[in-house]
Amino acid sequence: MASPAADIGQPHQRHLLSESASEPAFLEAQKWIEAVTGRCFGDKDFRGGLENGILLCELLSSIKPSLVKKINRLPTPIAGLDNLSVFLRGCEELGLKGSQLFDPGDLQDTSTRPKAKVADCSRS
């Protein structure tokens, strides 16, 4: 087993939410979420099915019904961030530590983000 010090300064080879949805762990997690919530990811991949936070809030509601007061179902990025915040707070209420949770930005779709060009970043 590698020591934690071995990871210092090294890029992480595996990142939970950036891996391919065909990974067995993603498929297992997706099946579990669908079984517990009774809802389906549909044609969305793992990240895409969770990015608006609705399924995650429904998951918490299934686990502990009084935990989520309201799910924001508006199709906006702000609504998604609101749901993700509700989910993460609920996880902490259930006893998880912040270090065991993901950052809401991990679920954002980065494929449509503008990318800086090298020339834009150089100093004169």
Side-chain angles (χ1 to χ4, degrees):
M1 181 171 177
S3 71
D7 289 337
I8 296 174
Q10 298 296 320
H12 290 276
Q13 295 299 317
R14 295 178 56 88
H15 189 272
L16 176 66
L17 298 173
S18 63
E19 291 287 321
S20 166
S22 63
E23 291 281 327
F26 284 97
L27 294 175
E28 184 177 337
Q30 181 174 335
K31 286 178 187 176
W32 179 74
I33 292 168
E34 290 174 339
V36 172
T37 63
R39 301 282 309 258
C40 184
F41 277 63
D43 62 352
K44 294 182 178 181
D45 64 4
F46 189 75
R47 185 205 51 78
L50 300 178
E51 72 182 332
N52 65 10
I54 293 173
L55 267 175
L56 293 171
C57 286
E58 289 176 350
L59 178 62
L60 274 183
S61 289
S62 296
I63 293 169
K64 186 174 179 184
S66 63
L67 204 53
V68 175
K69 306 294 184 229
K70 183 180 178 205
I71 299 173
N72 192 335
R73 297 185 185 276
L74 293 173
T76 64
I78 297 297
L81 286 174
D82 184 42
N83 289 334
L84 292 174
S85 294
V86 167
F87 171 76
L88 294 170
R89 279 194 306 272
C91 288
E92 288 177 342
E93 238 178 274
L94 289 174
L96 293 169
K97 296 180 176 109
S99 62
Q100 295 172 307
L101 303 173
F102 62 90
D103 184 88
D106 293 339
L107 288 176
Q108 291 179 335
D109 182 2
T110 59
S111 66
T112 58
R113 269 191 203 160
K115 294 183 175 56
K117 297 175 188 166
V118 175
D120 295 340
C121 297
S122 64
R123 294 184 179 180
S124 298

